[in-house]
Amino acid sequence: MPTEFNIIEKYFTRASQNADLGVGDDAALIQISAGHQLAVSADMSVAGTHFLADCPAYFVGWKSLAVNVSDMAAMGATPKWATLAIALPNIDEAWLAEFSRGFFACADEFSISLIGGDTTRGPLNISVQIMGELPIDKALRRDGAKLGDEIWVSGTLGEAALGLAQLQKKLPENTLSATERQVCIDALQAPQPRVALGLALQYIANSAIDISDGLLADLGHILERSSLGANLVWEKVPHVHISNEIDTTKLQSLVLNGGDDYELCFTAPASQHDAILAIGKKLNLKLSAIGETTPAPPHKNRLNVYDKNHQAIELKSVGYDHFG
Ligand code: ADP
Ligand code: MG
């Protein structure tokens, strides 16, 4: 049986480019660039809550880091360092090999160094802390939205939620074609954090958030912190295309409230509209203006969604709440 130290050595130790001292001592040592702030965030992934028990280990590894990278993207920060605290129910070397392959695939993609962590026995739980840097005072904060800003989202929404519904067998059979099924399951298991977009928006957007709990819930955080309301137009929200018939209410709920998209939602002055479209073109990433911010309504919902005929769309639940 390998020891804890064999495991750390074999699966979690790599030469770290970004650090002065990485895995192997009591603490890692890092140096941040002059004129920059450190951005720090942590996200836990728990079996059965954040990923299905039978999710391939490669994707558990990829996603446990990717969801953290997404928080750096949402701040406009460059991710550089991560720590990994992992509880394992037993030592399954085949699982560990795949987990670490997926984790490092994501780390390599974004030039992130794993600089430390902790390894212990317990119910499968993966806690990643990520650190990145950004020029002082250039962060894309949730409280920076301004009245009259356009509201934008990247990519398409609802794919991950459909992928989850598919894996949980909650969709009528044949709702998704074989190709659509694969696209949606990939979106769920291997999200692509929008780091390049976050960086490009540093001098352009007033606020940003990554969509992990559903568009309406996460945009709601921007609005609340910025004391604003918003009007959105359903037809402008870039959503997953399904070739077969699907109930409109169900689709709206998946797209607007479904979680796990890891796209960015951001606000920017209307004067930046063309600059933003140019960024999308350069990054080969669809960017859609879906509405605008309004004064905060005193007693009503902050957020209203209309269809193209100006009819309000009623949506029951807003976002995913782990304790809800
Ligand atoms: P300590 O007992 O001083 O906390 P550990 O034995 O827990 O040290 O860890 C030894 C070294 O391995 C430390 O540098 C720690 O940061 C690193 N480490 C432990 N687990 C992991 C992991 N899962 N991923 C990356 N580094 C790890
Ligand atoms: Mg330790």
Side-chain angles (χ1 to χ4, degrees):
M1 224 8 154
T3 67
E4 175 189 332
F5 301 101
N6 298 146
I7 290 170
I8 296 168
E9 178 72 26
K10 192 163 170 190
Y11 298 109
F12 300 125
T13 306
R14 295 261 195 106
S16 51
Q17 294 87 359
N18 295 341
D20 298 329
L21 185 61
V23 170
D25 212 313
D26 295 310
L29 300 174
I30 58 178
Q31 179 72 53
I32 73 166
S33 311
H36 285 63
Q37 282 175 311
L38 192 61
V40 184
S41 173
D43 257 315
M44 201 177 340
S45 300
V46 178
T49 304
H50 300 95
F51 56 92
L52 300 175
D54 60 357
C55 180
Y58 178 91
F59 295 113
V60 177
W62 172 280
K63 190 168 175 178
S64 64
L65 182 56
V67 300
N68 281 274
V69 177
S70 180
D71 283 316
M72 293 290 104
M75 289 306 279
T78 303
K80 292 189 79 168
W81 308 279
T83 63
L84 166 65
I86 187 165
L88 300 162
N90 51 32
I91 293 174
D92 176 344
E93 290 214 61
W95 191 92
L96 274 167
E98 278 301 286
F99 173 86
S100 108
R101 200 168 67 80
F103 187 96
F104 281 112
C106 185
D108 290 346
E109 172 103 21
F110 296 97
S111 304
I112 295 165
S113 296
L114 179 63
I115 57 167
D118 202 17
T119 305
T120 184
R121 188 186 291 275
L124 185 56
N125 180 318
I126 301 143
S127 288
V128 174
Q129 182 181 45
I130 192 151
M131 287 149 283
E133 56 181 25
L134 77 176
I136 290 169
D137 289 338
K138 286 295 170 240
L140 301 173
R141 298 165 53 132
R142 296 180 181 184
D143 61 6
K146 301 280 182 296
L147 182 62
D149 271 1
E150 282 187 309
I151 299 167
W152 294 78
V153 291
S154 63
T156 55
L157 303 183
E159 288 172 353
L162 266 169
L164 180 62
Q166 173 71 40
L167 290 175
Q168 291 180 322
K169 305 197 164 51
K170 286 182 179 167
L171 286 180
E173 214 165 318
N174 298 327
T175 304
L176 302 178
S177 69
T179 317
E180 289 163 353
R181 209 172 299 164
Q182 200 52 54
V183 166
C184 291
I185 292 172
D186 285 351
L188 175 72
Q189 295 184 332
Q192 300 293 321
R194 303 304 188 189
V195 174
L197 175 60
L199 291 177
L201 293 173
Q202 239 173 31
Y203 295 87
I204 288 181
N206 284 332
S207 69
I209 192 166
D210 63 324
I211 306 176
S212 54
D213 296 332
L215 171 65
L216 298 190
D218 288 318
L219 173 56
H221 295 313
I222 289 186
L223 299 175
E224 203 163 300
R225 298 291 293 277
S226 302
S227 303
L228 291 168
N231 290 335
L232 302 184
V233 181
W234 159 248
E235 283 83 0
K236 292 184 177 174
V237 179
H239 60 74
V240 51
H241 174 77
I242 303 170
S243 38
N244 292 322
E245 191 75 24
I246 182 165
D247 176 64
T248 309
T249 312
K250 174 113 191 130
L251 181 66
Q252 286 170 337
S253 156
L254 285 164
V255 170
L256 300 171
N257 292 323
D260 272 338
D261 293 302
Y262 296 102
E263 294 295 344
L264 294 189
C265 173
F266 56 97
T267 78
S271 58
Q272 297 288 358
H273 189 96
D274 291 345
I276 291 168
L277 290 180
I279 289 170
K281 208 159 184 192
K282 187 164 154 224
L283 299 178
N284 195 21
L285 176 62
K286 180 154 74 178
L287 299 179
S288 311
I290 61 171
E292 73 253 323
T293 62
T294 63
H299 302 299
K300 289 188 301 195
N301 293 340
R302 283 185 185 280
L303 229 172
N304 295 295
V305 186
Y306 298 96
D307 67 16
K308 59 177 191 281
N309 303 316
H310 309 288
Q311 296 296 309
I313 293 174
E314 292 293 338
L315 291 150
K316 277 182 231 103
S317 79
V318 170
Y320 186 80
D321 173 357
H322 284 295
F323 296 100

PDB file of all heavy atoms in Angstrom, residues 66-91:
ATOM      1  N   ALA A  66     -11.011  23.735 -12.706  1.00  0.00           N
ATOM      2  CA  ALA A  66     -11.624  24.666 -13.669  1.00  0.00           C
ATOM      3  C   ALA A  66     -12.629  25.612 -12.999  1.00  0.00           C
ATOM      4  O   ALA A  66     -12.687  26.798 -13.346  1.00  0.00           O
ATOM      5  CB  ALA A  66     -12.313  23.891 -14.795  1.00  0.00           C
ATOM      6  N   VAL A  67     -13.396  25.111 -12.035  1.00  0.00           N
ATOM      7  CA  VAL A  67     -14.381  25.997 -11.391  1.00  0.00           C
ATOM      8  C   VAL A  67     -13.675  27.099 -10.601  1.00  0.00           C
ATOM      9  O   VAL A  67     -14.195  28.206 -10.463  1.00  0.00           O
ATOM     10  CB  VAL A  67     -15.371  25.227 -10.477  1.00  0.00           C
ATOM     11  CG1 VAL A  67     -16.153  24.206 -11.294  1.00  0.00           C
ATOM     12  CG2 VAL A  67     -14.685  24.544  -9.314  1.00  0.00           C
ATOM     13  N   ASN A  68     -12.482  26.799 -10.111  1.00  0.00           N
ATOM     14  CA  ASN A  68     -11.688  27.821  -9.425  1.00  0.00           C
ATOM     15  C   ASN A  68     -11.080  28.806 -10.412  1.00  0.00           C
ATOM     16  O   ASN A  68     -11.068  30.013 -10.177  1.00  0.00           O
ATOM     17  CB  ASN A  68     -10.581  27.149  -8.596  1.00  0.00           C
ATOM     18  CG  ASN A  68     -11.114  26.600  -7.282  1.00  0.00           C
ATOM     19  OD1 ASN A  68     -11.192  27.328  -6.304  1.00  0.00           O
ATOM     20  ND2 ASN A  68     -11.516  25.337  -7.256  1.00  0.00           N
ATOM     21  N   VAL A  69     -10.599  28.277 -11.532  1.00  0.00           N
ATOM     22  CA  VAL A  69     -10.036  29.144 -12.573  1.00  0.00           C
ATOM     23  C   VAL A  69     -11.108  30.131 -13.047  1.00  0.00           C
ATOM     24  O   VAL A  69     -10.841  31.304 -13.304  1.00  0.00           O
ATOM     25  CB  VAL A  69      -9.512  28.303 -13.757  1.00  0.00           C
ATOM     26  CG1 VAL A  69      -8.988  29.206 -14.868  1.00  0.00           C
ATOM     27  CG2 VAL A  69      -8.417  27.350 -13.294  1.00  0.00           C
ATOM     28  N   SER A  70     -12.340  29.643 -13.113  1.00  0.00           N
ATOM     29  CA  SER A  70     -13.446  30.482 -13.561  1.00  0.00           C
ATOM     30  C   SER A  70     -13.634  31.698 -12.641  1.00  0.00           C
ATOM     31  O   SER A  70     -13.975  32.791 -13.109  1.00  0.00           O
ATOM     32  CB  SER A  70     -14.719  29.627 -13.613  1.00  0.00           C
ATOM     33  OG  SER A  70     -15.809  30.395 -14.049  1.00  0.00           O
ATOM     34  N   ASP A  71     -13.388  31.522 -11.352  1.00  0.00           N
ATOM     35  CA  ASP A  71     -13.485  32.667 -10.438  1.00  0.00           C
ATOM     36  C   ASP A  71     -12.396  33.700 -10.719  1.00  0.00           C
ATOM     37  O   ASP A  71     -12.613  34.903 -10.564  1.00  0.00           O
ATOM     38  CB  ASP A  71     -13.390  32.201  -8.976  1.00  0.00           C
ATOM     39  CG  ASP A  71     -14.692  31.574  -8.501  1.00  0.00           C
ATOM     40  OD1 ASP A  71     -15.763  32.153  -8.794  1.00  0.00           O
ATOM     41  OD2 ASP A  71     -14.648  30.515  -7.860  1.00  0.00           O
ATOM     42  N   MET A  72     -11.220  33.235 -11.124  1.00  0.00           N
ATOM     43  CA  MET A  72     -10.161  34.173 -11.513  1.00  0.00           C
ATOM     44  C   MET A  72     -10.592  34.928 -12.773  1.00  0.00           C
ATOM     45  O   MET A  72     -10.421  36.144 -12.876  1.00  0.00           O
ATOM     46  CB  MET A  72      -8.842  33.429 -11.779  1.00  0.00           C
ATOM     47  CG  MET A  72      -8.211  32.783 -10.560  1.00  0.00           C
ATOM     48  SD  MET A  72      -7.539  33.977  -9.367  1.00  0.00           S
ATOM     49  CE  MET A  72      -8.801  33.911  -8.107  1.00  0.00           C
ATOM     50  N   ALA A  73     -11.149  34.192 -13.739  1.00  0.00           N
ATOM     51  CA  ALA A  73     -11.619  34.822 -14.982  1.00  0.00           C
ATOM     52  C   ALA A  73     -12.636  35.914 -14.659  1.00  0.00           C
ATOM     53  O   ALA A  73     -12.590  37.010 -15.218  1.00  0.00           O
ATOM     54  CB  ALA A  73     -12.247  33.769 -15.898  1.00  0.00           C
ATOM     55  N   ALA A  74     -13.539  35.609 -13.738  1.00  0.00           N
ATOM     56  CA  ALA A  74     -14.603  36.560 -13.399  1.00  0.00           C
ATOM     57  C   ALA A  74     -14.073  37.808 -12.716  1.00  0.00           C
ATOM     58  O   ALA A  74     -14.737  38.844 -12.714  1.00  0.00           O
ATOM     59  CB  ALA A  74     -15.634  35.879 -12.510  1.00  0.00           C
ATOM     60  N   MET A  75     -12.876  37.737 -12.138  1.00  0.00           N
ATOM     61  CA  MET A  75     -12.264  38.921 -11.518  1.00  0.00           C
ATOM     62  C   MET A  75     -11.377  39.670 -12.505  1.00  0.00           C
ATOM     63  O   MET A  75     -10.849  40.731 -12.196  1.00  0.00           O
ATOM     64  CB  MET A  75     -11.375  38.515 -10.330  1.00  0.00           C
ATOM     65  CG  MET A  75     -12.095  38.022  -9.107  1.00  0.00           C
ATOM     66  SD  MET A  75     -13.348  39.152  -8.481  1.00  0.00           S
ATOM     67  CE  MET A  75     -12.367  40.322  -7.543  1.00  0.00           C
ATOM     68  N   GLY A  76     -11.150  39.086 -13.675  1.00  0.00           N
ATOM     69  CA  GLY A  76     -10.196  39.669 -14.618  1.00  0.00           C
ATOM     70  C   GLY A  76      -8.767  39.378 -14.214  1.00  0.00           C
ATOM     71  O   GLY A  76      -7.840  40.088 -14.598  1.00  0.00           O
ATOM     72  N   ALA A  77      -8.571  38.320 -13.413  1.00  0.00           N
ATOM     73  CA  ALA A  77      -7.238  37.989 -12.901  1.00  0.00           C
ATOM     74  C   ALA A  77      -6.590  36.886 -13.740  1.00  0.00           C
ATOM     75  O   ALA A  77      -7.280  36.092 -14.382  1.00  0.00           O
ATOM     76  CB  ALA A  77      -7.334  37.538 -11.448  1.00  0.00           C
ATOM     77  N   THR A  78      -5.265  36.839 -13.707  1.00  0.00           N
ATOM     78  CA  THR A  78      -4.519  35.743 -14.327  1.00  0.00           C
ATOM     79  C   THR A  78      -4.262  34.698 -13.252  1.00  0.00           C
ATOM     80  O   THR A  78      -3.572  34.976 -12.277  1.00  0.00           O
ATOM     81  CB  THR A  78      -3.160  36.239 -14.858  1.00  0.00           C
ATOM     82  OG1 THR A  78      -3.394  37.305 -15.779  1.00  0.00           O
ATOM     83  CG2 THR A  78      -2.406  35.124 -15.560  1.00  0.00           C
ATOM     84  N   PRO A  79      -4.811  33.474 -13.405  1.00  0.00           N
ATOM     85  CA  PRO A  79      -4.573  32.443 -12.394  1.00  0.00           C
ATOM     86  C   PRO A  79      -3.126  31.984 -12.448  1.00  0.00           C
ATOM     87  O   PRO A  79      -2.563  31.845 -13.531  1.00  0.00           O
ATOM     88  CB  PRO A  79      -5.519  31.309 -12.818  1.00  0.00           C
ATOM     89  CG  PRO A  79      -5.737  31.511 -14.279  1.00  0.00           C
ATOM     90  CD  PRO A  79      -5.622  32.990 -14.537  1.00  0.00           C
ATOM     91  N   LYS A  80      -2.499  31.771 -11.281  1.00  0.00           N
ATOM     92  CA  LYS A  80      -1.096  31.354 -11.293  1.00  0.00           C
ATOM     93  C   LYS A  80      -0.772  30.199 -10.357  1.00  0.00           C
ATOM     94  O   LYS A  80       0.084  29.382 -10.657  1.00  0.00           O
ATOM     95  CB  LYS A  80      -0.193  32.549 -10.955  1.00  0.00           C
ATOM     96  CG  LYS A  80      -0.216  33.611 -12.052  1.00  0.00           C
ATOM     97  CD  LYS A  80       0.807  34.688 -11.846  1.00  0.00           C
ATOM     98  CE  LYS A  80       2.194  34.232 -12.262  1.00  0.00           C
ATOM     99  NZ  LYS A  80       3.129  35.381 -12.329  1.00  0.00           N
ATOM    100  N   TRP A  81      -1.419  30.152  -9.194  1.00  0.00           N
ATOM    101  CA  TRP A  81      -1.059  29.139  -8.208  1.00  0.00           C
ATOM    102  C   TRP A  81      -2.317  28.471  -7.668  1.00  0.00           C
ATOM    103  O   TRP A  81      -3.361  29.116  -7.545  1.00  0.00           O
ATOM    104  CB  TRP A  81      -0.322  29.779  -7.030  1.00  0.00           C
ATOM    105  CG  TRP A  81       0.834  30.634  -7.424  1.00  0.00           C
ATOM    106  CD1 TRP A  81       2.086  30.201  -7.755  1.00  0.00           C
ATOM    107  CD2 TRP A  81       0.871  32.067  -7.523  1.00  0.00           C
ATOM    108  NE1 TRP A  81       2.895  31.262  -8.047  1.00  0.00           N
ATOM    109  CE2 TRP A  81       2.184  32.423  -7.914  1.00  0.00           C
ATOM    110  CE3 TRP A  81      -0.059  33.085  -7.317  1.00  0.00           C
ATOM    111  CZ2 TRP A  81       2.574  33.752  -8.103  1.00  0.00           C
ATOM    112  CZ3 TRP A  81       0.323  34.406  -7.510  1.00  0.00           C
ATOM    113  CH2 TRP A  81       1.631  34.729  -7.893  1.00  0.00           C
ATOM    114  N   ALA A  82      -2.205  27.195  -7.302  1.00  0.00           N
ATOM    115  CA  ALA A  82      -3.346  26.514  -6.676  1.00  0.00           C
ATOM    116  C   ALA A  82      -2.835  25.602  -5.571  1.00  0.00           C
ATOM    117  O   ALA A  82      -1.694  25.114  -5.633  1.00  0.00           O
ATOM    118  CB  ALA A  82      -4.116  25.698  -7.710  1.00  0.00           C
ATOM    119  N   THR A  83      -3.671  25.402  -4.551  1.00  0.00           N
ATOM    120  CA  THR A  83      -3.406  24.344  -3.583  1.00  0.00           C
ATOM    121  C   THR A  83      -4.565  23.358  -3.654  1.00  0.00           C
ATOM    122  O   THR A  83      -5.677  23.712  -4.061  1.00  0.00           O
ATOM    123  CB  THR A  83      -3.259  24.871  -2.146  1.00  0.00           C
ATOM    124  OG1 THR A  83      -4.494  25.473  -1.736  1.00  0.00           O
ATOM    125  CG2 THR A  83      -2.127  25.881  -2.026  1.00  0.00           C
ATOM    126  N   LEU A  84      -4.298  22.130  -3.269  1.00  0.00           N
ATOM    127  CA  LEU A  84      -5.293  21.055  -3.378  1.00  0.00           C
ATOM    128  C   LEU A  84      -5.354  20.283  -2.060  1.00  0.00           C
ATOM    129  O   LEU A  84      -4.390  19.616  -1.690  1.00  0.00           O
ATOM    130  CB  LEU A  84      -4.880  20.109  -4.511  1.00  0.00           C
ATOM    131  CG  LEU A  84      -5.581  18.753  -4.600  1.00  0.00           C
ATOM    132  CD1 LEU A  84      -7.065  18.940  -4.921  1.00  0.00           C
ATOM    133  CD2 LEU A  84      -4.912  17.890  -5.673  1.00  0.00           C
ATOM    134  N   ALA A  85      -6.474  20.419  -1.356  1.00  0.00           N
ATOM    135  CA  ALA A  85      -6.679  19.608  -0.150  1.00  0.00           C
ATOM    136  C   ALA A  85      -7.683  18.532  -0.518  1.00  0.00           C
ATOM    137  O   ALA A  85      -8.801  18.829  -0.947  1.00  0.00           O
ATOM    138  CB  ALA A  85      -7.196  20.476   0.982  1.00  0.00           C
ATOM    139  N   ILE A  86      -7.275  17.274  -0.391  1.00  0.00           N
ATOM    140  CA  ILE A  86      -8.133  16.194  -0.877  1.00  0.00           C
ATOM    141  C   ILE A  86      -8.323  15.129   0.198  1.00  0.00           C
ATOM    142  O   ILE A  86      -7.365  14.706   0.856  1.00  0.00           O
ATOM    143  CB  ILE A  86      -7.567  15.600  -2.199  1.00  0.00           C
ATOM    144  CG1 ILE A  86      -8.538  14.582  -2.800  1.00  0.00           C
ATOM    145  CG2 ILE A  86      -6.193  14.976  -2.013  1.00  0.00           C
ATOM    146  CD1 ILE A  86      -8.223  14.236  -4.260  1.00  0.00           C
ATOM    147  N   ALA A  87      -9.581  14.742   0.416  1.00  0.00           N
ATOM    148  CA  ALA A  87      -9.896  13.613   1.294  1.00  0.00           C
ATOM    149  C   ALA A  87     -10.313  12.447   0.401  1.00  0.00           C
ATOM    150  O   ALA A  87     -11.147  12.610  -0.495  1.00  0.00           O
ATOM    151  CB  ALA A  87     -11.025  13.980   2.246  1.00  0.00           C
ATOM    152  N   LEU A  88      -9.684  11.294   0.602  1.00  0.00           N
ATOM    153  CA  LEU A  88      -9.947  10.099  -0.216  1.00  0.00           C
ATOM    154  C   LEU A  88     -10.468   8.986   0.687  1.00  0.00           C
ATOM    155  O   LEU A  88      -9.882   8.723   1.738  1.00  0.00           O
ATOM    156  CB  LEU A  88      -8.654   9.628  -0.878  1.00  0.00           C
ATOM    157  CG  LEU A  88      -7.963  10.615  -1.817  1.00  0.00           C
ATOM    158  CD1 LEU A  88      -6.515  10.213  -2.061  1.00  0.00           C
ATOM    159  CD2 LEU A  88      -8.731  10.698  -3.133  1.00  0.00           C
ATOM    160  N   PRO A  89     -11.548   8.307   0.266  1.00  0.00           N
ATOM    161  CA  PRO A  89     -12.094   7.229   1.095  1.00  0.00           C
ATOM    162  C   PRO A  89     -11.135   6.037   1.166  1.00  0.00           C
ATOM    163  O   PRO A  89     -11.095   5.336   2.167  1.00  0.00           O
ATOM    164  CB  PRO A  89     -13.401   6.854   0.399  1.00  0.00           C
ATOM    165  CG  PRO A  89     -13.342   7.460  -0.959  1.00  0.00           C
ATOM    166  CD  PRO A  89     -12.357   8.583  -0.923  1.00  0.00           C
ATOM    167  N   ASN A  90     -10.363   5.826   0.087  1.00  0.00           N
ATOM    168  CA  ASN A  90      -9.384   4.737   0.061  1.00  0.00           C
ATOM    169  C   ASN A  90      -8.363   5.083  -1.016  1.00  0.00           C
ATOM    170  O   ASN A  90      -8.540   6.053  -1.745  1.00  0.00           O
ATOM    171  CB  ASN A  90     -10.057   3.389  -0.245  1.00  0.00           C
ATOM    172  CG  ASN A  90     -10.928   3.497  -1.487  1.00  0.00           C
ATOM    173  OD1 ASN A  90     -10.629   4.263  -2.402  1.00  0.00           O
ATOM    174  ND2 ASN A  90     -12.014   2.747  -1.537  1.00  0.00           N
ATOM    175  N   ILE A  91      -7.307   4.289  -1.094  1.00  0.00           N
ATOM    176  CA  ILE A  91      -6.297   4.572  -2.112  1.00  0.00           C
ATOM    177  C   ILE A  91      -6.583   3.736  -3.350  1.00  0.00           C
ATOM    178  O   ILE A  91      -6.364   2.532  -3.357  1.00  0.00           O
ATOM    179  CB  ILE A  91      -4.887   4.319  -1.569  1.00  0.00           C
ATOM    180  CG1 ILE A  91      -4.603   5.360  -0.466  1.00  0.00           C
ATOM    181  CG2 ILE A  91      -3.847   4.439  -2.684  1.00  0.00           C
ATOM    182  CD1 ILE A  91      -3.309   5.141   0.254  1.00  0.00           C
TER     183      ILE A  91
END
